Amino acid sequence: MSSDLTTGIHDLSFATGEYVLPHTALAAYNGTDIGKYHTGIGQRSMSVPAADEDIVTMAAAAAAPIVARHGAERIRTVVFATESSVDQAKSAGVYVHSLLQLPSACRVVELKQACYAATAALQLAIGLVRRDPSQQVLVIASDVSKYDLDSPGEATQGAAAVAMLIGADPALVRIEEPSGLFTADVMDFWRPNYRETALVDGQQSIAAYLQAVEGTWKDYAEQGGRPPQEFAAFCYHQPFTKMAYKAHRHLLNYCGQATDEDAVERAVKHTTAYNSVIGNSYTASVYLALAALLDQAGDQTGGQDGGLDGRSVGFLSYGSGSVAEFFAGTVVPGYRRHLRTAAHRAAIDRRTPLTYAEYRELHQRSFPADGGDHPTPAQTTGPFRLAALRGHKRLYDTR
Ligand code: CAA
């Protein structure tokens, strides 16, 4: 391994669900002041998957453009990160491997630790690429965030998949050493195997997240990381976008830095554009923050020519339960030539708005567990669909 080998994110693409529920519809139904959603938690709408979509169809839709652009010859590993797994044994990545017709000479595995697992996947991928820089790793984070109807968590649902190609000499972001790590056994958010919706203690989960911000930063500093003022922006896990503001204020405070609103706004505001309209996408959320930052840097960060060329970006990945990691990336000069901004905006704009009643019906759908033949209604206009559950097997189609 050469000591000056750089590894990181070579390409990034995301997909989301067929439908969208505006928070105005939720507020009209439950009588909440819309200011609580738009300003209090910083959310405008949330993606809702069609009856024939799930983490697999979104993951395949996110990854297909990456395989189309780079080919699959160098991909020898697929790591699928999710909280909303569809099988206790089989990796959702194997379905994606099949839908994308990836080579059989490939290892595929699923990772879980609430919203954190995509970062574990990224770090695992970097280790594999450092071992053999000719190989690339396809990392996919895909989740459907689902809380009980009429619960406080209902306003913080969403769905999306982010696919990232990890390789040597990356075109988008070089991932740096070191990482700050933090684990604490806390029951802030969890989902027992028999439940489709998550259980959460909302206020405790926010406190646990902020404790993890401190813990990761402390370790990051002790490992010789960059001081906070070197970062152009910070991508936080965003269960709702106001959480990124809370987290950054907390970090600056912990570091003894000024917490004026301008400083917080500058560090975070370009990372929230996608999460504020997609909602919580669990494992994908922190990388949707990166997508928003990169996609907007050209138009709005004030960088006239290079945008974020050569700038450092901080990443705070938090997964309830809890495991968290802070690490840094350097944006590769020329990265803007490799972005998928138009496709990303189209993925958001193509969604069909639901009424509250339509959303509620979709939320309550689940497959019978009787092993019968259960075809799904044809709803998605995306490239892949979940056609049926038959004999306890999920059957997927390419449209
Ligand atoms: N106008 C403007 N702001 C308003 C308002 C109004 N009319 N009414 C309320 N607000 C503000 C409140 O002041 C509050 O802001 P602050 O937090 O800055 O004080 C904000 O809106 C939310 O109000 P509440 O705390 O009263 O809302 P709530 O009790 O409904 O709970 C929630 C909010 C805890 C986020 C809840 O939606 C929830 O439990 N969500 C799921 C859990 C979650 O997302 N946790 C985040 C950390 S855990 C994590 O990150 C992992 C993960 O992905 C789950």
Side-chain angles (χ1 to χ4, degrees):
M1 187 186 82
S2 118
S3 58
D4 58 0
L5 176 72
T6 64
T7 50
I9 304 169
H10 191 51
D11 197 358
L12 184 156
S13 156
F14 77 76
T16 185
E18 180 73 16
Y19 299 125
V20 59
L21 182 74
H23 277 77
T24 47
L26 179 60
Y29 166 79
N30 64 18
T32 298
D33 180 337
I34 192 62
K36 172 171 173 178
Y37 295 152
H38 285 177
T39 311
I41 61 170
Q43 291 305 122
R44 313 295 298 192
S45 59
M46 48 200 184
S47 287
V48 181
D52 51 351
E53 289 180 323
D54 65 4
I55 56 164
V56 170
T57 62
M58 289 192 301
I66 289 184
V67 175
R69 184 185 281 180
H70 305 276
E73 297 74 28
R74 296 173 61 189
I75 299 175
R76 289 179 58 81
T77 306
V78 177
V79 190
F80 195 111
T82 188
E83 185 276 352
S84 32
S85 189
V86 293
D87 196 286
Q88 300 282 12
K90 179 168 176 151
S91 166
V94 175
Y95 295 113
V96 176
H97 176 276
S98 165
L99 287 169
L100 299 183
Q101 301 179 322
L102 298 180
S104 58
C106 189
R107 62 167 78 81
V108 181
V109 70
E110 184 171 307
L111 291 188
K112 175 179 68 184
Q113 175 36 53
C115 309
Y116 165 73
T119 297
L122 171 66
Q123 297 293 359
L124 181 68
I126 285 170
L128 288 169
V129 172
R130 283 179 178 255
R131 196 172 74 173
D132 177 359
S134 71
Q135 295 187 21
Q136 296 175 325
V137 179
L138 182 61
V139 166
I140 307 176
S142 184
D143 267 307
V144 177
S145 161
K146 208 169 168 186
Y147 294 93
D148 283 342
L149 292 167
D150 305 318
S151 73
E154 186 177 14
T156 60
Q157 299 174 111
V162 171
M164 296 184 285
L165 190 63
I166 309 304
D169 193 18
L172 296 181
V173 181
R174 294 183 197 117
I175 301 300
E176 298 177 359
E177 297 275 352
S179 273
L181 305 174
F182 181 77
T183 290
D185 183 3
V186 51
M187 294 303 281
D188 60 329
F189 163 105
W190 69 107
R191 188 166 66 84
N193 286 346
Y194 48 82
R195 284 184 64 98
E196 286 195 10
T197 50
L199 295 165
V200 66
D201 179 334
Q203 297 311 324
Q204 191 193 355
S205 72
I206 293 172
Y209 184 131
L210 296 178
Q211 190 196 6
V213 169
E214 279 185 40
T216 55
W217 185 268
K218 180 173 182 293
D219 188 46
Y220 179 69
E222 285 170 5
Q223 304 292 322
R226 294 173 181 275
Q229 57 275 18
E230 282 188 17
F231 292 96
F234 288 77
C235 294
Y236 286 93
H237 167 57
Q238 292 170 19
F240 51 94
T241 63
K242 269 294 152 71
M243 191 67 222
Y245 288 81
K246 282 182 194 291
H248 196 57
R249 231 174 269 128
H250 196 82
L251 177 69
L252 291 180
N253 215 4
Y254 180 72
C255 297
Q257 305 269 312
T259 55
D260 61 282
E261 282 313 296
D262 284 353
V264 177
E265 187 76 12
R266 266 197 312 280
V268 169
K269 74 172 172 186
H270 295 299
T271 69
T272 61
Y274 295 150
N275 285 308
S276 67
V277 292
I278 285 175
N280 194 356
S281 56
Y282 292 158
T283 51
S285 161
V286 64
Y287 300 101
L288 278 180
L290 172 64
L293 175 70
L294 297 180
D295 284 347
Q296 288 182 97
D299 356 297
Q300 291 170 39
T301 47
Q304 300 293 321
D305 306 305
L308 289 164
D309 277 2
R311 305 295 305 278
S312 298
V313 174
F315 295 83
L316 187 287
S317 179
Y318 175 72
S320 290
S322 70
V323 178
E325 179 162 346
F326 184 92
F327 61 100
T330 302
V331 180
V332 178
Y335 72 99
R336 285 195 290 184
R337 290 197 304 278
H338 308 280
L339 295 178
R340 299 175 177 278
T341 310
H344 289 164
R345 290 183 180 156
I348 288 170
D349 294 343
R350 68 183 278 279
R351 298 173 301 169
T352 303
L354 293 173
T355 63
Y356 184 80
E358 290 167 335
Y359 143 78
R360 204 169 168 100
E361 195 186 325
L362 274 168
H363 192 287
Q364 286 169 324
R365 275 190 76 89
S366 65
F367 283 115
D370 59 7
D373 183 6
H374 302 291
T376 55
Q379 294 181 343
T380 182
T381 58
F384 304 99
R385 66 180 297 267
L386 170 61
L389 181 71
R390 186 175 303 147
H392 298 296
K393 294 173 187 158
R394 296 175 93 84
L395 304 178
Y396 291 96
D397 276 348
T398 301
R399 291 181 66 251

